[in-house]
Amino acid sequence: MSQLDHRSPSCIAANVLAGQSREMLQRHFNCSARWVVAAPGRVNLIGEHTDYNGGFVLPMAIDRYTVIAAAPAEFPPADSAEVFSTEVGACSRIRLNEPMERGNVSWVNYVQGVVAGCVRQGWSVPPFRAVIHSNVPLGGGLSSSAALEVATATLLEAISGKSLSLVDKALLCQKAEHTFAGVPCGIMDQFSSAMCEAHRLLLLDCRSQEFELVPFTDPDVQVVIANSNVKHELTGGEYARRRSECEQAAGVLGVPFLRDASLAQLESARDRLDPVAFVRARHVISEIDRTVAAAQSLRAGDWKTVGELMYASHASLRDDYEVSCAELDLLVEIARSIGLDGGVIGSRMTGGGFGGCTVSLVRAQAVPHFISELTRQYRQGTSIEPTVFATQPSQGAMNLSDHAPGVA
Ligand code: ADP
Ligand code: MG
C-alpha cells in the first residue's frame, strides 16, 4: 500500500467530491459518513482495439472520480443496503444476501454485481446507507462504469475490514460488469481505476494481466480530453465483426492471438488473407508495437516520438480499422494544424470509436489556447459543442474515510 499524498491534485479533486457526498448523506439519510471512498475514470493514451487481441494498452486514471459516502444503517432490514445516486437522482435497495441476481434497474446492477462478488467470497456485509456522487460523465467513454464498480468494491473493503489484491479487485469488478450489467468488457477499465497512480501511465498486458507503471512526470505536459459529443449508432454489429475479422486473421496466421504475429508474418500471408481481415490485422499488430514504443519513448522523455505514435495510431484506426468518424477526424486535424509550434505534441481518437473522445498531449502553457481553438473550430465545422478539459495521470481508488490508512 503506497502512502497517499493528500496535497496531490487528484486527492484534492476527490476530496472536494467527498465533502459534497458527506453533506448529501447527511441531508438524504440524516447520518454522518463513517466511510468515504473514491475511484477514478480513465482515458487510454494509446493501444486501441488491442485488448481482445491479447495486446497492450496504455491508460491512465483521470482526476475525475466517483465517490461514495456511507454509514451503518441503524434500523436495518438486515439483508439490504440503501444507495442514492446523485447523478441518476434515484435511490435503490441492494440485496446483501442470496439470492443476488441481476435486476431491471440498470445502474443498480453495477453496484449489486460488486456486492455479490464480495459476499460470494464469504465477506459479511452489514446493512448500510450510501450516497454515490461523481464527476465522471456517465456514458462518455471515460469509464464511469468501472469507477462505480471499483468505488463500490473499495467501500465494501472499508465496511467489512477485508481487502483484496488490486488485481483481484479489478477482476471482481470486471466480472460484475459481465454478469450483472451484461457488458462483455476487457480488463483495462477496472485495472486503471483500481491501480493507477498519480504521474504514472499503466502499461497493461491484456493477455498475462501483468502491468507496469510508466512515469509521466513532466509538469509541462498535460492531457487534454475532447468529447466530440457524437455517438453514431451502428446497426451492423461493428464491434463483433471486428473481433471475428481479427480471429479469422489469427487463424490464417496460425497464432492464438494477433499479439503473437509480426508485421513481416502478416505481409507474407497477404495472399491467403481476405483483404479486409488483412488491414484489420495490420492495425492491431502495428498498434501493439506503437503502444510498447510509446511507453519506451515516455521512459526516455521523448515526447516528439510519443506524439508521432499517437497520430499514427489515429490514422491506422481511421484507415485500416475503420472505426473513426468525421467528427473525431476533425478534432485530430485541428490539433495537428495547431501543431508542435502551438504546443500540441500529439492527438488521437480514444475508446471504441464511431464517436466519443480524442486524447491529446499539450504543453501546459498552450492548454488554454488549445482548448479555445479546438472548441471554436470544431463548433464551426460541425455545429456541435464539444466538451474539452485538461487532466493529468491521477491516483486510482482511495479510501478517504477518517483514519483510513491511505491508498486503497
Ligand atoms: P462509461 O463507462 O463509458 O461511462 P458505460 O455505458 O459503460 O459508459 O457505463 C455507464 C453506466 O454506468 C450508466 O448508464 C449507469 O448505469 C452506470 N453508472 C456509472 N456511474 C454512475 C453513477 N455515478 N450513478 C449511477 N449509475 C452510474
Ligand atoms: Mg463503461
Side-chain angles (χ1 to χ4, degrees):
M1 187 180 291
S2 53
Q3 205 48 49
L4 194 57
D5 176 3
H6 287 275
R7 293 152 308 171
S8 72
S10 39
C11 283
I12 293 168
N15 272 311
V16 170
L17 289 165
Q20 293 165 348
S21 53
R22 282 173 188 275
E23 256 174 51
M24 277 179 288
L25 187 74
Q26 192 74 54
R27 207 171 333 131
H28 196 85
F29 290 118
N30 196 24
C31 48
S32 306
R34 181 178 302 174
W35 307 286
V36 185
V37 296
R42 62 94 191 94
V43 70
N44 190 20
L45 195 75
I46 194 164
E48 220 63 71
H49 289 281
T50 52
D51 55 347
Y52 51 86
N53 289 294
F56 288 89
V57 292
L58 191 62
M60 56 176 243
I62 60 173
D63 60 355
R64 298 225 169 180
Y65 287 87
T66 295
V67 169
I68 309 182
E74 278 168 35
F75 305 107
D79 63 348
S80 68
E82 277 181 289
V83 289
F84 176 76
S85 163
T86 59
E87 275 47 61
V88 179
C91 194
S92 190
R93 265 182 199 284
I94 305 287
R95 283 190 62 90
L96 301 173
N97 294 313
E98 298 289 357
M100 279 183 277
E101 283 154 4
R102 197 173 162 180
N104 46 20
V105 184
S106 65
W107 71 270
V108 182
N109 282 322
Y110 294 87
V111 182
Q112 182 74 72
V114 174
V115 172
C118 293
V119 169
R120 277 180 198 147
Q121 307 214 89
W123 295 13
S124 117
V125 183
F128 63 90
R129 293 188 169 128
V131 165
I132 301 166
H133 184 44
S134 181
N135 64 357
V136 185
L138 271 57
L142 300 174
S143 204
S144 67
S145 57
L148 177 56
E149 291 148 9
V150 174
T152 303
T154 308
L155 175 70
L156 294 195
E157 287 180 315
I159 291 179
S160 64
K162 308 266 188 196
S163 73
L164 291 164
S165 74
L166 293 178
V167 170
D168 287 345
K169 183 159 143 179
L171 292 174
L172 185 149
C173 291
Q174 182 204 24
K175 188 167 177 210
E177 185 143 346
H178 286 183
T179 54
F180 277 73
V183 180
C185 56
I187 59 171
M188 172 170 70
D189 300 355
Q190 292 79 9
F191 270 64
S192 306
S193 189
M195 58 197 59
C196 276
E197 291 182 12
H199 314 298
R200 304 273 186 274
L201 296 178
L202 181 74
L203 178 63
L204 176 61
D205 180 332
C206 295
R207 182 166 58 184
S208 68
Q209 300 177 350
E210 283 168 5
F211 63 93
E212 185 194 331
L213 292 164
V214 180
F216 180 123
T217 46
D218 189 338
D220 184 38
V221 180
Q222 297 238 330
V223 178
V224 177
I225 295 171
N227 193 331
S228 64
N229 286 330
V230 298
K231 213 180 215 171
H232 297 290
E233 296 300 338
L234 300 163
T235 48
E238 295 293 330
Y239 178 74
R241 190 178 314 157
R242 294 296 180 289
R243 282 191 82 138
S244 84
E245 287 158 353
C246 290
E247 282 163 21
Q248 190 192 328
V252 172
L253 292 170
V255 291
F257 288 105
L258 285 178
R259 151 81 178 273
D260 301 301
S262 66
L263 283 175
Q265 266 173 288
L266 178 69
E267 198 54 59
S268 63
R270 191 192 266 261
D271 297 345
R272 290 183 283 130
L273 273 164
D274 168 80
V276 173
F278 176 82
V279 291
R280 302 296 190 246
R282 186 166 63 187
H283 163 71
V284 171
I285 298 169
S286 63
E287 182 78 352
I288 293 170
D289 290 349
R290 278 188 291 273
T291 306
V292 174
Q296 191 52 42
S297 304
L298 270 165
R299 286 186 205 99
D302 179 359
W303 292 106
K304 191 164 169 286
T305 302
V306 177
E308 284 161 5
L309 291 164
M310 290 173 78
Y311 287 124
S313 166
H314 185 79
S316 175
L317 287 158
R318 182 191 60 208
D319 302 335
D320 277 356
Y321 221 62
E322 295 183 277
V323 291
S324 187
C325 60
E327 293 84 356
L328 292 171
D329 293 344
L330 178 61
L331 285 168
V332 171
E333 276 321 305
I334 298 167
R336 192 204 297 274
S337 70
I338 297 171
L340 271 177
D341 290 347
V344 179
I345 296 165
S347 184
R348 59 180 286 275
M349 59 160 275
T350 183
F354 306 113
C357 299
T358 64
V359 58
S360 307
L361 293 179
V362 183
R363 294 278 168 204
Q365 64 180 31
V367 165
H369 178 255
F370 175 68
I371 291 179
S372 67
E373 265 310 289
L374 193 65
T375 304
R376 188 185 68 75
Q377 292 188 37
Y378 181 75
R379 190 195 293 133
Q380 199 173 48
T382 60
S383 305
I384 301 163
E385 193 65 26
T387 313
V388 190
F389 64 94
T391 185
Q392 33 199 298
S394 298
Q395 178 61 50
M398 294 178 256
N399 184 348
L400 301 169
S401 314
D402 295 337
H403 315 301
V407 175

